[in-house]
Amino acid sequence: MTENKIKFRNQNIVIEDRDRMTVTGVEQVESFNDNTIVLTTVKGGMTIKGEGLNISKLNLDDGSVKIEGKINGVNYMTKEGAPKNIMGKIFK
């Protein structure tokens, strides 16, 4: 039996003027509201924080999400769930 699901390997993130964002390599939208969007991507989890956030386009067939609103920050999580940061790597 062949699986129709496309396996994405790359992830691209484009933020335009802090009010538009495009993310590829998205596997699932875990949750969203006006201030937080949580995604599962091929590289792990991603949390987007901001104000007036809205998912303007979602296409899980090609793994892309377009977000509008004021983007204040992006936080990445590894597949294991630990935050990626330089301090964690130094003290490992």
Side-chain angles (χ1 to χ4, degrees):
M1 182 177 193
T2 60
E3 188 175 329
N4 291 334
K5 187 175 179 181
I6 299 170
K7 294 291 182 185
F8 303 101
R9 295 174 191 240
N10 294 326
Q11 178 183 45
N12 294 308
I13 301 165
V14 177
I15 300 175
E16 302 173 49
D17 298 327
R18 287 187 57 190
D19 62 3
R20 288 181 305 281
M21 179 177 190
T22 303
V23 182
T24 62
V26 175
E27 296 176 336
Q28 185 173 346
V29 176
E30 296 291 332
S31 65
F32 66 95
N33 61 39
D34 288 345
N35 300 315
T36 306
I37 297 174
V38 180
L39 306 173
T40 300
T41 73
V42 295
K43 301 295 184 183
M46 176 185 291
T47 303
I48 299 129
K49 298 270 187 173
E51 300 169 25
L53 297 178
N54 180 43
I55 297 175
S56 61
K57 182 179 178 186
L58 171 63
N59 187 338
L60 293 179
D61 290 334
D62 70 4
S64 67
V65 170
K66 291 190 179 197
I67 298 167
E68 295 178 350
K70 184 177 179 185
I71 298 161
N72 293 329
V74 179
N75 186 37
Y76 303 98
M77 304 292 282
T78 64
K79 284 284 190 183
E80 294 81 33
K84 281 187 180 180
N85 65 38
I86 190 71
M87 297 305 284
K89 291 179 181 180
I90 292 172
F91 295 109
K92 206 171 196 184

